[in-house]
Amino acid sequence: MLNRWLNPRALVSLSILLCLIVMLVTSVLMFAKNHYMPVAMLHTVLGFSLLLFAILHLKNNFSPLKSYLSLKFWGKKSRYKASFPLVLFLGASLIGLSWYGYGPIKRFYQWGMELRVADTFGEAPSYQYIVVDKTDKSLSGQELTIELRTGDSFLWPQYAIWLETMEGELVQPLYVTSKLAKNNFENRVTKLDESTVFKDNPFSTADFKMEDAFNLVVEPESKSERVRPESLPVFLHQLGIRDEEGQFVTHGENLIPDAYTGATMSDNFVYRTKLESELSGRYRLKLEMNQSFDFNQYYSSDRFPSDPIYSGSGFSAQPSVVYETTLNFDNPERLYLMGLAGRGHHSGQDGDIHSDLSGMDSALSIVDRVIVEVH
């Protein structure tokens, strides 16, 4: 009865056509525009739907497809004998050219990136930037320009930018906020009422004042005894320097040269620097950022009561976020867009990048975007 008004073959074919049309539209949008979650979700869902209908299509058309692969089909008398080899050749060519970024394929990809960057600039043409130029002309390496646009949650983060090999070995730091670079945490904050539990960032309220909930004590004489392993755990583990208690720190005035340190830039910034030596091949550029007091419902101030680092005077709240991109110095692209790679450990117990972002919210909007240019 059902087959009288519903043709299974027609249903599958029309479903494949619908999926292809929607995926074509979403592909163009994702190619030329910034990442929009609804478009990406639609593209993903329709992609898996297309896979399902393609399996059904193969089932419905298994016999002719099987004949296309038979030796008889490739015979001298067949008018279709070049079809299968041609498909293999074209498929292998597209995969190879795309993987290695050759010729028109790479230019096509770069054109899409330029469209996305132009789309982003078009959204906020009035933004202003702090420009910090620390290029040392005596160095022989490539020059880098790193442009960071702050997000809605940006207040006073600590951050580090560094370059490492594809195997994860540190090459050199590029910029580290001075408090972390010189272990200059001389301000100690304690709660006025120890029973107070924070489930949001108190400083996000316009009329909130420090003295309403905290005691602030400046102790420059004891700053060398204070460590913040939870601040930027991925970067600190990269440095590999431990104190007597085994915590990863940045002790030592000359550990990170002044050429790569500075104050927290409090707005959108453009940072220019130069590598110590000329590099070839592929390297990974990373940015780690963390902001104290950004508590939320999951990372509340009482989330880990037995963890002395998390529950200490650093008020680490949500863990650090890590962004990264891969630079190819042999064949550099015009622009590189850094993507969110994950988070650090909430109390700095390891230097891993954790992909699980559940429980994170405002920390994910400290950064709006980071674009890198290799000169």
Side-chain angles (χ1 to χ4, degrees), residues 134-136 139 159-161 171-178 181-182 235 255-263 271-277:
K134 286 202 170 189
T135 53
D136 186 345
L139 300 178
Y159 49 87
I161 308 171
V171 176
Q172 72 167 87
L174 296 177
Y175 193 86
V176 185
T177 48
S178 56
K182 305 303 180 183
F235 174 68
L255 184 61
I256 300 177
D258 290 337
Y260 306 120
T261 66
Y271 175 63
R272 298 179 182 134
T273 188
K274 195 171 185 181
L275 301 181
E276 295 174 356
S277 59

Side-chain angles (χ1 to χ4, degrees), residues 50-205:
L50 179 62
L51 177 62
L52 174 62
F53 289 120
I55 294 173
L56 294 175
H57 180 72
L58 288 175
K59 181 182 177 182
N60 292 336
N61 298 274
F62 182 75
S63 295
L65 285 172
K66 183 179 179 180
S67 67
Y68 297 159
L69 300 175
S70 68
L71 293 176
K72 181 180 180 181
F73 175 77
W74 296 355
K76 294 181 179 180
K77 295 182 179 181
S78 173
R79 59 188 177 126
Y80 305 114
K81 60 184 179 181
S83 301
F84 185 62
L86 181 61
V87 169
L88 286 179
F89 173 76
L90 292 176
S93 299
L94 287 175
I95 292 173
L97 291 173
S98 301
W99 182 263
Y100 292 103
Y102 287 124
I105 300 292
K106 181 179 179 180
R107 289 194 291 272
F108 182 69
Y109 171 78
Q110 290 176 336
W111 177 52
M113 179 170 284
E114 291 172 6
L115 289 175
R116 291 192 294 274
V117 171
D119 177 58
T120 304
F121 274 117
E123 293 174 357
S126 62
Y127 277 10
Q128 295 182 349
Y129 287 79
I130 299 170
V131 178
V132 176
D133 191 340
K134 286 202 170 189
T135 53
D136 186 345
K137 299 301 180 182
S138 66
L139 300 178
S140 60
Q142 292 94 334
E143 292 186 12
L144 300 180
T145 297
I146 302 170
E147 180 259 310
L148 183 144
R149 194 165 80 182
T150 62
D152 295 334
S153 301
F154 188 98
L155 291 175
W156 47 59
Q158 298 296 319
Y159 49 87
I161 308 171
W162 72 96
L163 192 68
E164 63 181 43
T165 65
M166 297 301 293
E167 293 72 33
E169 297 181 3
L170 178 67
V171 176
Q172 72 167 87
L174 296 177
Y175 193 86
V176 185
T177 48
S178 56
K179 281 189 177 295
L180 184 82
K182 305 303 180 183
N183 201 56
N184 192 25
F185 296 104
E186 61 182 25
N187 295 338
R188 184 169 60 87
V189 178
T190 59
K191 289 188 288 187
L192 289 176
D193 183 356
E194 285 298 325
S195 64
T196 302
V197 176
F198 294 104
K199 294 190 176 182
D200 56 21
N201 190 338
F203 293 93
S204 62
T205 305

